[in-house]
PDB file of all heavy atoms in Angstrom:
ATOM      1  N   TYR A  18      86.538  88.172 109.686  1.00 98.00           N
ATOM      2  CA  TYR A  18      85.104  87.921 109.772  1.00 98.00           C
ATOM      3  C   TYR A  18      84.852  86.539 109.146  1.00 98.00           C
ATOM      4  O   TYR A  18      84.941  86.361 108.003  1.00 98.00           O
ATOM      5  CB  TYR A  18      84.509  89.015 108.867  1.00 98.00           C
ATOM      6  CG  TYR A  18      82.924  89.094 108.948  1.00 98.00           C
ATOM      7  CD1 TYR A  18      82.257  88.607 110.158  1.00 98.00           C
ATOM      8  CD2 TYR A  18      82.267  89.738 107.982  1.00 98.00           C
ATOM      9  CE1 TYR A  18      80.857  88.700 110.157  1.00 98.00           C
ATOM     10  CE2 TYR A  18      80.866  89.868 108.093  1.00 98.00           C
ATOM     11  CZ  TYR A  18      80.108  89.320 109.139  1.00 98.00           C
ATOM     12  OH  TYR A  18      78.769  89.334 109.219  1.00 98.00           O
ATOM     13  N   GLY A  19      84.608  85.587 110.134  1.00 97.00           N
ATOM     14  CA  GLY A  19      84.421  84.203 109.621  1.00 97.00           C
ATOM     15  C   GLY A  19      83.004  83.819 109.563  1.00 97.00           C
ATOM     16  O   GLY A  19      82.083  84.398 110.257  1.00 97.00           O
ATOM     17  N   GLY A  20      82.684  82.833 108.758  1.00 95.00           N
ATOM     18  CA  GLY A  20      81.350  82.299 108.678  1.00 95.00           C
ATOM     19  C   GLY A  20      81.142  81.387 107.474  1.00 95.00           C
ATOM     20  O   GLY A  20      82.064  81.212 106.648  1.00 95.00           O
ATOM     21  N   SER A  21      80.046  80.809 107.361  1.00 95.00           N
ATOM     22  CA  SER A  21      79.563  79.852 106.270  1.00 95.00           C
ATOM     23  C   SER A  21      79.419  80.703 104.988  1.00 95.00           C
ATOM     24  O   SER A  21      79.606  80.241 103.925  1.00 95.00           O
ATOM     25  CB  SER A  21      78.508  79.068 106.569  1.00 95.00           C
ATOM     26  OG  SER A  21      78.657  78.279 107.633  1.00 95.00           O
ATOM     27  N   PHE A  22      78.928  81.942 105.056  1.00 96.00           N
ATOM     28  CA  PHE A  22      78.590  82.694 103.894  1.00 96.00           C
ATOM     29  C   PHE A  22      77.722  81.938 102.992  1.00 96.00           C
ATOM     30  O   PHE A  22      78.061  81.698 101.788  1.00 96.00           O
ATOM     31  CB  PHE A  22      79.810  83.248 103.149  1.00 96.00           C
ATOM     32  CG  PHE A  22      80.633  84.213 104.125  1.00 96.00           C
ATOM     33  CD1 PHE A  22      81.661  83.786 104.842  1.00 96.00           C
ATOM     34  CD2 PHE A  22      80.299  85.600 104.068  1.00 96.00           C
ATOM     35  CE1 PHE A  22      82.364  84.673 105.653  1.00 96.00           C
ATOM     36  CE2 PHE A  22      81.034  86.598 104.868  1.00 96.00           C
ATOM     37  CZ  PHE A  22      82.039  85.950 105.745  1.00 96.00           C
ATOM     38  N   ASN A  23      76.582  81.457 103.466  1.00 95.00           N
ATOM     39  CA  ASN A  23      75.763  80.416 102.742  1.00 95.00           C
ATOM     40  C   ASN A  23      74.309  80.927 102.556  1.00 95.00           C
ATOM     41  O   ASN A  23      73.399  80.450 103.153  1.00 95.00           O
ATOM     42  CB  ASN A  23      75.719  79.173 103.508  1.00 95.00           C
ATOM     43  CG  ASN A  23      75.121  77.981 102.771  1.00 95.00           C
ATOM     44  OD1 ASN A  23      75.281  77.839 101.630  1.00 95.00           O
ATOM     45  ND2 ASN A  23      74.164  77.200 103.493  1.00 95.00           N
ATOM     46  N   PRO A  24      74.152  82.012 101.697  1.00 95.00           N
ATOM     47  CA  PRO A  24      75.116  82.655 100.867  1.00 95.00           C
ATOM     48  C   PRO A  24      75.567  83.935 101.535  1.00 95.00           C
ATOM     49  O   PRO A  24      75.066  84.399 102.483  1.00 95.00           O
ATOM     50  CB  PRO A  24      74.322  82.970  99.539  1.00 95.00           C
ATOM     51  CG  PRO A  24      72.991  83.337 100.111  1.00 95.00           C
ATOM     52  CD  PRO A  24      72.815  82.332 101.282  1.00 95.00           C
ATOM     53  N   ALA A  25      76.701  84.514 100.900  1.00 97.00           N
ATOM     54  CA  ALA A  25      77.169  85.829 101.333  1.00 97.00           C
ATOM     55  C   ALA A  25      76.013  86.837 100.942  1.00 97.00           C
ATOM     56  O   ALA A  25      75.374  86.658  99.825  1.00 97.00           O
ATOM     57  CB  ALA A  25      78.416  86.239 100.636  1.00 97.00           C
ATOM     58  N   HIS A  26      75.908  87.904 101.644  1.00 95.00           N
ATOM     59  CA  HIS A  26      74.895  88.916 101.245  1.00 95.00           C
ATOM     60  C   HIS A  26      75.355  90.292 101.780  1.00 95.00           C
ATOM     61  O   HIS A  26      76.391  90.468 102.372  1.00 95.00           O
ATOM     62  CB  HIS A  26      73.487  88.607 101.938  1.00 95.00           C
ATOM     63  CG  HIS A  26      73.669  88.251 103.419  1.00 95.00           C
ATOM     64  ND1 HIS A  26      73.689  89.280 104.376  1.00 95.00           N
ATOM     65  CD2 HIS A  26      73.472  87.063 104.127  1.00 95.00           C
ATOM     66  CE1 HIS A  26      73.728  88.820 105.568  1.00 95.00           C
ATOM     67  NE2 HIS A  26      73.617  87.563 105.452  1.00 95.00           N
ATOM     68  N   HIS A  29      76.553  91.047 105.314  1.00 95.00           N
ATOM     69  CA  HIS A  29      77.991  90.810 105.576  1.00 95.00           C
ATOM     70  C   HIS A  29      78.775  91.956 105.199  1.00 95.00           C
ATOM     71  O   HIS A  29      79.672  92.310 105.934  1.00 95.00           O
ATOM     72  CB  HIS A  29      78.385  89.485 104.921  1.00 95.00           C
ATOM     73  CG  HIS A  29      77.763  88.233 105.302  1.00 95.00           C
ATOM     74  ND1 HIS A  29      77.182  87.404 104.393  1.00 95.00           N
ATOM     75  CD2 HIS A  29      77.582  87.742 106.511  1.00 95.00           C
ATOM     76  CE1 HIS A  29      76.671  86.382 104.993  1.00 95.00           C
ATOM     77  NE2 HIS A  29      76.939  86.476 106.329  1.00 95.00           N
ATOM     78  N   ARG A  30      78.544  92.472 104.128  1.00 96.00           N
ATOM     79  CA  ARG A  30      79.214  93.634 103.613  1.00 96.00           C
ATOM     80  C   ARG A  30      79.031  94.921 104.464  1.00 96.00           C
ATOM     81  O   ARG A  30      79.876  95.654 104.803  1.00 96.00           O
ATOM     82  CB  ARG A  30      78.801  93.948 102.173  1.00 96.00           C
ATOM     83  CG  ARG A  30      79.666  95.067 101.419  1.00 96.00           C
ATOM     84  CD  ARG A  30      79.232  95.081  99.989  1.00 96.00           C
ATOM     85  NE  ARG A  30      80.111  96.078  99.225  1.00 96.00           N
ATOM     86  CZ  ARG A  30      79.831  97.318  99.029  1.00 96.00           C
ATOM     87  NH1 ARG A  30      78.685  97.869  99.577  1.00 96.00           N
ATOM     88  NH2 ARG A  30      80.550  98.118  98.372  1.00 96.00           N
ATOM     89  N   SER A  33      81.154  94.526 107.562  1.00 97.00           N
ATOM     90  CA  SER A  33      82.553  94.725 107.211  1.00 97.00           C
ATOM     91  C   SER A  33      82.852  96.182 107.018  1.00 97.00           C
ATOM     92  O   SER A  33      83.915  96.800 107.429  1.00 97.00           O
ATOM     93  CB  SER A  33      82.833  93.987 105.949  1.00 97.00           C
ATOM     94  OG  SER A  33      82.618  92.651 106.184  1.00 97.00           O
ATOM     95  N   TRP A  46      89.342  90.490 106.277  1.00 98.00           N
ATOM     96  CA  TRP A  46      89.385  89.207 105.639  1.00 98.00           C
ATOM     97  C   TRP A  46      88.122  88.401 105.936  1.00 98.00           C
ATOM     98  O   TRP A  46      87.756  88.189 107.053  1.00 98.00           O
ATOM     99  CB  TRP A  46      90.582  88.349 106.068  1.00 98.00           C
ATOM    100  CG  TRP A  46      91.935  89.002 105.790  1.00 98.00           C
ATOM    101  CD1 TRP A  46      92.158  90.075 104.884  1.00 98.00           C
ATOM    102  CD2 TRP A  46      93.212  88.639 106.135  1.00 98.00           C
ATOM    103  NE1 TRP A  46      93.472  90.376 104.803  1.00 98.00           N
ATOM    104  CE2 TRP A  46      94.183  89.466 105.630  1.00 98.00           C
ATOM    105  CE3 TRP A  46      93.580  87.618 107.005  1.00 98.00           C
ATOM    106  CZ2 TRP A  46      95.588  89.317 105.852  1.00 98.00           C
ATOM    107  CZ3 TRP A  46      94.996  87.364 107.267  1.00 98.00           C
ATOM    108  CH2 TRP A  46      95.921  88.252 106.644  1.00 98.00           C
ATOM    109  N   TRP A  47      87.440  87.947 104.867  1.00 98.00           N
ATOM    110  CA  TRP A  47      86.377  87.021 105.046  1.00 98.00           C
ATOM    111  C   TRP A  47      86.827  85.632 105.068  1.00 98.00           C
ATOM    112  O   TRP A  47      87.391  85.197 104.060  1.00 98.00           O
ATOM    113  CB  TRP A  47      85.303  87.186 103.877  1.00 98.00           C
ATOM    114  CG  TRP A  47      84.531  88.435 104.031  1.00 98.00           C
ATOM    115  CD1 TRP A  47      84.650  89.423 104.984  1.00 98.00           C
ATOM    116  CD2 TRP A  47      83.302  88.823 103.214  1.00 98.00           C
ATOM    117  NE1 TRP A  47      83.649  90.412 104.733  1.00 98.00           N
ATOM    118  CE2 TRP A  47      82.864  90.090 103.674  1.00 98.00           C
ATOM    119  CE3 TRP A  47      82.686  88.312 102.264  1.00 98.00           C
ATOM    120  CZ2 TRP A  47      81.768  90.709 103.193  1.00 98.00           C
ATOM    121  CZ3 TRP A  47      81.588  88.892 101.589  1.00 98.00           C
ATOM    122  CH2 TRP A  47      81.165  90.104 102.052  1.00 98.00           C
ATOM    123  N   LEU A  48      86.748  84.868 106.132  1.00 98.00           N
ATOM    124  CA  LEU A  48      87.196  83.482 106.242  1.00 98.00           C
ATOM    125  C   LEU A  48      85.914  82.648 105.927  1.00 98.00           C
ATOM    126  O   LEU A  48      85.122  82.367 106.854  1.00 98.00           O
ATOM    127  CB  LEU A  48      87.726  83.249 107.671  1.00 98.00           C
ATOM    128  CG  LEU A  48      88.828  84.242 108.163  1.00 98.00           C
ATOM    129  CD1 LEU A  48      89.174  83.938 109.637  1.00 98.00           C
ATOM    130  CD2 LEU A  48      90.018  84.292 107.308  1.00 98.00           C
ATOM    131  N   VAL A  49      85.846  82.178 104.782  1.00 98.00           N
ATOM    132  CA  VAL A  49      84.736  81.267 104.353  1.00 98.00           C
ATOM    133  C   VAL A  49      85.027  79.839 104.807  1.00 98.00           C
ATOM    134  O   VAL A  49      85.916  79.258 104.389  1.00 98.00           O
ATOM    135  CB  VAL A  49      84.510  81.350 102.887  1.00 98.00           C
ATOM    136  CG1 VAL A  49      83.272  80.383 102.574  1.00 98.00           C
ATOM    137  CG2 VAL A  49      84.357  82.682 102.366  1.00 98.00           C
ATOM    138  N   THR A  50      84.279  79.415 105.818  1.00 95.00           N
ATOM    139  CA  THR A  50      84.558  78.154 106.496  1.00 95.00           C
ATOM    140  C   THR A  50      84.038  76.974 105.813  1.00 95.00           C
ATOM    141  O   THR A  50      83.003  77.110 105.004  1.00 95.00           O
ATOM    142  CB  THR A  50      83.987  78.094 107.895  1.00 95.00           C
ATOM    143  OG1 THR A  50      84.297  76.974 108.508  1.00 95.00           O
ATOM    144  CG2 THR A  50      82.537  78.404 107.926  1.00 95.00           C
ATOM    145  N   LYS A  56      75.970  74.362 112.954  1.00 60.00           N
ATOM    146  CA  LYS A  56      74.891  74.400 111.973  1.00 60.00           C
ATOM    147  C   LYS A  56      74.844  73.167 111.192  1.00 60.00           C
ATOM    148  O   LYS A  56      75.738  72.416 111.078  1.00 60.00           O
ATOM    149  CB  LYS A  56      75.086  75.669 111.109  1.00 60.00           C
ATOM    150  CG  LYS A  56      75.000  76.980 111.782  1.00 60.00           C
ATOM    151  CD  LYS A  56      75.112  78.150 110.826  1.00 60.00           C
ATOM    152  CE  LYS A  56      74.943  79.485 111.603  1.00 60.00           C
ATOM    153  NZ  LYS A  56      75.136  80.674 110.683  1.00 60.00           N
ATOM    154  N   LEU A  61      74.625  73.297 103.253  1.00 92.00           N
ATOM    155  CA  LEU A  61      75.698  74.011 102.662  1.00 92.00           C
ATOM    156  C   LEU A  61      75.922  73.882 101.190  1.00 92.00           C
ATOM    157  O   LEU A  61      75.934  72.786 100.726  1.00 92.00           O
ATOM    158  CB  LEU A  61      77.071  73.639 103.321  1.00 92.00           C
ATOM    159  CG  LEU A  61      77.390  74.271 104.711  1.00 92.00           C
ATOM    160  CD1 LEU A  61      78.790  73.739 105.210  1.00 92.00           C
ATOM    161  CD2 LEU A  61      77.467  75.762 104.609  1.00 92.00           C
ATOM    162  N   ALA A  62      76.175  75.049 100.517  1.00 95.00           N
ATOM    163  CA  ALA A  62      76.500  74.885  99.121  1.00 95.00           C
ATOM    164  C   ALA A  62      78.104  74.660  99.047  1.00 95.00           C
ATOM    165  O   ALA A  62      78.638  74.761 100.037  1.00 95.00           O
ATOM    166  CB  ALA A  62      76.230  76.309  98.449  1.00 95.00           C
ATOM    167  N   PRO A  63      78.553  74.142  97.916  1.00 96.00           N
ATOM    168  CA  PRO A  63      79.934  73.930  97.836  1.00 96.00           C
ATOM    169  C   PRO A  63      80.832  75.073  98.170  1.00 96.00           C
ATOM    170  O   PRO A  63      80.404  76.205  97.927  1.00 96.00           O
ATOM    171  CB  PRO A  63      80.128  73.517  96.352  1.00 96.00           C
ATOM    172  CG  PRO A  63      78.824  73.041  95.935  1.00 96.00           C
ATOM    173  CD  PRO A  63      77.789  73.845  96.662  1.00 96.00           C
ATOM    174  N   LEU A  64      81.931  74.778  98.952  1.00 97.00           N
ATOM    175  CA  LEU A  64      82.851  75.823  99.385  1.00 97.00           C
ATOM    176  C   LEU A  64      83.211  76.822  98.244  1.00 97.00           C
ATOM    177  O   LEU A  64      83.146  78.020  98.393  1.00 97.00           O
ATOM    178  CB  LEU A  64      84.083  75.193  99.937  1.00 97.00           C
ATOM    179  CG  LEU A  64      85.147  76.191 100.457  1.00 97.00           C
ATOM    180  CD1 LEU A  64      84.588  77.194 101.598  1.00 97.00           C
ATOM    181  CD2 LEU A  64      86.257  75.515 100.952  1.00 97.00           C
ATOM    182  N   GLU A  66      81.770  77.570  95.522  1.00 97.00           N
ATOM    183  CA  GLU A  66      80.591  78.393  95.089  1.00 97.00           C
ATOM    184  C   GLU A  66      80.356  79.471  96.073  1.00 97.00           C
ATOM    185  O   GLU A  66      80.076  80.667  95.698  1.00 97.00           O
ATOM    186  CB  GLU A  66      79.375  77.492  95.006  1.00 97.00           C
ATOM    187  CG  GLU A  66      78.088  78.221  94.594  1.00 97.00           C
ATOM    188  CD  GLU A  66      76.916  77.231  94.469  1.00 97.00           C
ATOM    189  OE1 GLU A  66      77.069  76.166  93.876  1.00 97.00           O
ATOM    190  OE2 GLU A  66      75.847  77.509  95.014  1.00 97.00           O
ATOM    191  N   ARG A  67      80.443  79.156  97.339  1.00 97.00           N
ATOM    192  CA  ARG A  67      80.176  80.147  98.411  1.00 97.00           C
ATOM    193  C   ARG A  67      81.273  81.215  98.465  1.00 97.00           C
ATOM    194  O   ARG A  67      80.960  82.392  98.589  1.00 97.00           O
ATOM    195  CB  ARG A  67      80.076  79.536  99.765  1.00 97.00           C
ATOM    196  CG  ARG A  67      78.826  78.693 100.019  1.00 97.00           C
ATOM    197  CD  ARG A  67      78.741  78.116 101.438  1.00 97.00           C
ATOM    198  NE  ARG A  67      79.509  76.903 101.623  1.00 97.00           N
ATOM    199  CZ  ARG A  67      80.590  76.731 102.490  1.00 97.00           C
ATOM    200  NH1 ARG A  67      80.852  77.849 103.338  1.00 97.00           N
ATOM    201  NH2 ARG A  67      81.229  75.634 102.592  1.00 97.00           N
ATOM    202  N   ALA A  68      82.549  80.801  98.214  1.00 98.00           N
ATOM    203  CA  ALA A  68      83.598  81.852  98.269  1.00 98.00           C
ATOM    204  C   ALA A  68      83.488  82.751  97.004  1.00 98.00           C
ATOM    205  O   ALA A  68      83.781  83.952  97.177  1.00 98.00           O
ATOM    206  CB  ALA A  68      84.951  81.052  98.120  1.00 98.00           C
ATOM    207  N   GLU A  70      80.894  83.590  95.378  1.00 98.00           N
ATOM    208  CA  GLU A  70      79.666  84.509  95.675  1.00 98.00           C
ATOM    209  C   GLU A  70      80.117  85.580  96.674  1.00 98.00           C
ATOM    210  O   GLU A  70      79.753  86.788  96.576  1.00 98.00           O
ATOM    211  CB  GLU A  70      78.438  83.794  96.154  1.00 98.00           C
ATOM    212  CG  GLU A  70      77.227  84.651  96.441  1.00 98.00           C
ATOM    213  CD  GLU A  70      76.696  85.332  95.294  1.00 98.00           C
ATOM    214  OE1 GLU A  70      77.119  85.112  94.065  1.00 98.00           O
ATOM    215  OE2 GLU A  70      75.789  86.111  95.495  1.00 98.00           O
ATOM    216  N   ALA A  71      80.856  85.177  97.664  1.00 98.00           N
ATOM    217  CA  ALA A  71      81.321  86.128  98.677  1.00 98.00           C
ATOM    218  C   ALA A  71      82.237  87.274  98.007  1.00 98.00           C
ATOM    219  O   ALA A  71      82.081  88.400  98.383  1.00 98.00           O
ATOM    220  CB  ALA A  71      82.197  85.407  99.746  1.00 98.00           C
ATOM    221  N   VAL A  74      79.998  89.723  96.240  1.00 98.00           N
ATOM    222  CA  VAL A  74      79.160  90.564  97.183  1.00 98.00           C
ATOM    223  C   VAL A  74      80.065  91.522  97.825  1.00 98.00           C
ATOM    224  O   VAL A  74      79.694  92.676  98.026  1.00 98.00           O
ATOM    225  CB  VAL A  74      78.429  89.662  98.199  1.00 98.00           C
ATOM    226  CG1 VAL A  74      77.778  90.582  99.289  1.00 98.00           C
ATOM    227  CG2 VAL A  74      77.331  88.755  97.497  1.00 98.00           C
ATOM    228  N   VAL A  82      88.660  87.720 100.414  1.00 98.00           N
ATOM    229  CA  VAL A  82      88.001  86.475 100.766  1.00 98.00           C
ATOM    230  C   VAL A  82      88.996  85.290 100.566  1.00 98.00           C
ATOM    231  O   VAL A  82      89.690  85.224  99.630  1.00 98.00           O
ATOM    232  CB  VAL A  82      86.822  86.253  99.664  1.00 98.00           C
ATOM    233  CG1 VAL A  82      86.177  84.823  99.881  1.00 98.00           C
ATOM    234  CG2 VAL A  82      85.820  87.321  99.731  1.00 98.00           C
ATOM    235  N   THR A  83      89.070  84.475 101.648  1.00 98.00           N
ATOM    236  CA  THR A  83      89.934  83.447 101.733  1.00 98.00           C
ATOM    237  C   THR A  83      89.260  82.132 102.176  1.00 98.00           C
ATOM    238  O   THR A  83      88.322  82.188 103.036  1.00 98.00           O
ATOM    239  CB  THR A  83      91.157  83.707 102.542  1.00 98.00           C
ATOM    240  OG1 THR A  83      92.009  82.465 102.656  1.00 98.00           O
ATOM    241  CG2 THR A  83      90.749  84.070 104.030  1.00 98.00           C
ATOM    242  N   SER A 191      71.310  84.916 105.916  1.00 46.00           N
ATOM    243  CA  SER A 191      71.649  83.908 104.915  1.00 46.00           C
ATOM    244  C   SER A 191      70.504  82.931 104.776  1.00 46.00           C
ATOM    245  O   SER A 191      70.093  82.414 103.776  1.00 46.00           O
ATOM    246  CB  SER A 191      72.954  83.133 105.205  1.00 46.00           C
ATOM    247  OG  SER A 191      74.073  84.004 105.098  1.00 46.00           O
ATOM    248  N   ARG A 195      68.602  82.044 101.276  1.00 38.00           N
ATOM    249  CA  ARG A 195      68.561  80.735 100.629  1.00 38.00           C
ATOM    250  C   ARG A 195      67.153  80.333 100.190  1.00 38.00           C
ATOM    251  O   ARG A 195      67.001  79.521  99.217  1.00 38.00           O
ATOM    252  CB  ARG A 195      69.026  79.659 101.641  1.00 38.00           C
ATOM    253  CG  ARG A 195      70.531  79.691 101.893  1.00 38.00           C
ATOM    254  CD  ARG A 195      71.018  78.369 102.590  1.00 38.00           C
ATOM    255  NE  ARG A 195      70.444  78.105 103.888  1.00 38.00           N
ATOM    256  CZ  ARG A 195      70.967  78.660 104.954  1.00 38.00           C
ATOM    257  NH1 ARG A 195      72.064  79.353 104.939  1.00 38.00           N
ATOM    258  NH2 ARG A 195      70.412  78.334 106.226  1.00 38.00           N
TER     259      ARG A 195
END
Side-chain angles (χ1 to χ4, degrees):
Y18 190 22
S21 300
F22 295 94
N23 188 44
H26 53 72
H29 295 128
R30 188 171 186 267
S33 301
W46 294 353
W47 285 8
L48 308 174
V49 184
T50 179
K56 295 182 179 180
L61 275 179
L64 177 63
E66 181 181 313
R67 288 183 282 121
E70 178 65 6
V74 171
V82 177
T83 176
S191 294
R195 285 197 296 273

